[in-house]
């Protein structure tokens, strides 16, 4: 341990408060935000620290709605099992659910956003027409193949032809004027990948969400956070349903009853 | 281990999907929800599994906005420190922040909602005028005092006279027609408690949120979950700020540099 | 925000370090602890900040061994599912597993320790013979019944007659001279409860662990922490097995394939 | 959703139980393990599913003891802050602390083990003498430099010359006959790196732990888990100290009082 430091200094621009007022994002929370600004709009604003335009809010909320719930995902199951074990700790059950939001299942949004952003950043110049986007897409898909990596955003275990979220989100982005190079490149990937992969895969909804968020100017590092915010709402839905019609005990007992003991070698 | 069970059955009403469509809350996700329903509305709908009225959505979103961020709370600090240590895991940092959402700091919303609901449930009959609400409030405050317990929703370390969120949220509830017995009892507590406690305390914003949510028909067990959903947005704001202008290392070093080693007894 | 505080001061007795040495619990970590003190001994020492006697260490480690793993518990399943979803974050999978260590499944050790401690603390005088312990136990079981609460430590879903851990742990405590009033009261509960409950239940292993830890002088608030430390080792075993012979995907798919969609009312 | 699956089957070799006995790792838990096998030994056994030799146990426990606590790390601070906010959830505070066990601060053990294992695996043949180990080490350090990456295991912010844990752990490994190619390569890195890096750095304790664990045959993927197990004991020590002499509120208030509000641009 060293000598005491100077008085520390922790800057923040999120907000402050005094006896009579609360400032959030430069606004008076009570007078300017409550009842006037939606939660989705506030969430986007909290991350960018810039008031989003209505067009951006609509696309952003469409993304959150698209990602909020996917049924009995490993995250939802883990949340329900944790709630079963610790019903006095909603925050524990939520946290356990979110901790599954890693690379394998919830990472597509971030991975797709990052893949598209990296591809665009690595281009000699930004493509200006569909043919140029197609060429850039083709090169990216080929490079992924050489690295023995999947292209994030392609394919879905259930929606084999079209993921219904994809065309809707693209349309909303076009309506709101936020359709940009990431979505354009993503659609190009949708067109050209069969040439490289030898089969036709759908552009999945989570990947489209990543492209749409990237076109809102959001950095790849934060895309997983938005997917997690969306999923928090879905997890609350699962926990509410677990209170009313629980299945956690049945899941636990299904595993327990179907466990097969194989003695370890040497025993 | 026992014999294998019958084929298990896990019912859910949240949603389902097939090759061509995704159903969420009985709606077509892509056609009926994306771009048409806000994230706040969906979150409330996911929990109740009933489509909320616009009036309920406005009050609900006002609550989420009121609870989203409170500056450098222990939860925000824990989230930033965890992000510092594990920047590759946004879900870990979020989860760590939410795990502080327990009884001490984030529990007021739930505790107030529960206190008001229990008080109303324990009344011989639902009060019908202000005098009757005052009497019920007085009895509840006295009973809490005898149990040596604080009345949740009273007092605030900074807003000593009026918490600016309280009158605004009450007004919004009145505007939207959701002002009900919980808020009415809460205001009565605000009037009568000086008779018992000997001093005048403000009705705090988090408690008002609990009362407002209870008047939307939401059960006390889930109120903490809504506070956590709101706080998830605030935590994302903190993590985004930590990326741009980090303070986590400074917090860590402030503690480290000001640590004072006191050898344990007997060493 | 107020004016900056004075230089803060954070006392700790756990340890300190300088350029040449590391002090832990008043000892030189490298010279006195590594290779000389076991991990179980250190864990107990870290909590009490007093060097435990060998007798205490033996009982403590027997408790940890007894609690380390219980097969496919909800916590183990949640950990495996989280590891499936986020294989790059072992800390997330461990944390998710531990978050199920709440009141329902992992709480018996703490609840039993607390129940016994509270009963002893509430006695007019500490019982001095078996008859007096029996009387105290009988009163405690009756009081629990009147509160419509289960006596923690009684009963087991599988070990209907005797939980094999119980007699062994009691014997070890006797061998080591740590058998004290908590274990004695626990055995008394084992004798007398049929008079009140109308059936004979075994003293379960987790409850015996709580009694044994309480007789080591450990406070009830920390007993859950020791159960969690033990379970961390078990969860690492599950994660290691998940790497070699995964079942997480099978669990997820079992739930997914057996989901039954019941449309919400009104849709 | 598809048709129900066949009866699922979840194999495990960790253990099983019936009415009268509990089997863990092929042993009778109550008769063969409790009071006879230490917790550290069991933890290693649970992961490898092979009974470790006493030599391996001694080295393993020395590693756990070395990694258990490092004072006011970001993880310890996060755990204490979470315990402050949610004192009813020890599991939440522990989990929050562990979630900081990611790449930045707790990752050295894993990163060093992986770096050494990868280097050895990539060698044309296993080096047979110090000169060959030096050559392999030199190539590895150079390659890391070209990738603009640090060599994990080199350097320490406090122990600038010698980390006191390093020579002790190496000696213990030699005494127990577990000193192997990973430790030998690690020491070679300690000798040769000044040629590449232009300065002399110590081999740090966490890196030595990674090398020692790798020489026990443990795979890199699990090394972080052992560091987390060790750290769980340290965190319990912090939480126990927080109960007796709390600093969490002081940490929180230090940050809060020294917050500096910088209005966001445009407000």
């Amino acid at each position: 341990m060293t000598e005491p430091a100077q008085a520390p200094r922790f800057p923040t621009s999120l907000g402050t408060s005094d006896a009579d007022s609360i400032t959030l994002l430069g606004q008076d929370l009570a007078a300017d935000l409550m009842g006037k600004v939606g939660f989705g709009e506030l969430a986007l604003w909290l991350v960018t620290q810039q008031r989003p335009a209505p067009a951006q809010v609509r696309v952003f909320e469409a993304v959150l709605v698209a990602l909020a719930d996917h049924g009995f995902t490993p995250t939802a199951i883990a949340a329900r099992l944790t709630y079963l074990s610790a019903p006095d700790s909603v925050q524990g059950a939520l946290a356990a659910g979110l901790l599954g939001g890693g690379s394998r299942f919830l990472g597509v949004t971030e991975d797709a956003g990052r893949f598209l952003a990296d591809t665009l950043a690595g281009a000699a110049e930004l493509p200006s027409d569909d043919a140029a986007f197609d060429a850039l897409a083709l090169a990216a898909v080929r490079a992924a193949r050489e690295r023995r990596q999947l292209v994030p955003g392609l394919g879905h275990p259930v929606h084999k032809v079209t993921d219904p979220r994809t065309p809707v989100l693209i349309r909303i982005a076009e309506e709101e004027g936020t359709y940009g190079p990431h979505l354009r490149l993503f659609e190009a990937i949708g067109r050209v990948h069969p040439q490289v992969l030898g089969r036709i895969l759908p552009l999945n909804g989570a990947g489209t969400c990543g492209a749409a968020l990237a076109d809102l100017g959001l950095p790849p590092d934060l895309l997983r956070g938005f997917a997690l915010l969306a999923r928090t709402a879905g997890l609350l839905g699962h926990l509410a349903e677990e209170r009313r019609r629980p299945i956690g005990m049945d899941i636990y007992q299904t595993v327990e009853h179907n466990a097969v003991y194989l003695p370890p070698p040497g025993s």
Side-chain angles (χ1 to χ4, degrees), chain A residues 67-204:
Chain A
L67 296 177
D69 185 71
H70 290 168
F72 288 131
T73 57
T75 57
I77 300 167
R80 288 203 187 210
L81 287 169
T82 304
Y83 194 53
L84 169 76
S85 308
D88 49 302
S89 177
V90 170
Q91 73 272 22
L94 270 187
L98 290 180
L99 287 169
S103 51
R104 189 155 178 188
F105 286 97
L106 208 74
V108 179
T109 299
E110 170 186 1
D111 294 342
R114 194 183 298 281
F115 182 88
L116 298 166
D118 289 350
T119 301
L120 289 168
E125 57 184 29
L126 197 66
S128 54
D129 58 20
D130 275 356
F133 271 99
D134 281 4
L136 185 61
L138 198 61
V141 175
R142 284 194 173 123
R145 184 166 203 174
E146 274 156 40
R147 291 190 313 267
R148 302 178 63 88
Q149 282 174 357
L150 298 174
V151 176
L154 277 181
H156 195 281
V158 176
H159 311 298
K160 304 279 190 192
V161 179
T162 302
D163 183 321
R165 296 165 293 185
T166 295
V168 169
L169 188 55
I170 289 173
R171 176 177 51 76
I172 291 170
E174 289 170 333
E175 286 174 358
E176 299 300 334
T178 70
Y179 182 97
H182 299 84
L183 280 166
R184 200 167 178 189
L185 177 61
F186 194 56
E187 289 205 276
I189 288 171
R191 285 191 296 272
V192 306
H193 73 272
Q195 300 176 42
V196 182
L197 304 183
R199 64 192 192 283
I200 305 176
L201 297 168
L203 294 174
N204 63 48

Side-chain angles (χ1 to χ4, degrees), chain A residues 56-69:
Chain A
Q56 296 170 308
V57 175
R58 183 162 179 249
V59 174
F60 181 69
E61 296 215 73
V63 164
L64 295 182
V65 165
L67 296 177
D69 185 71

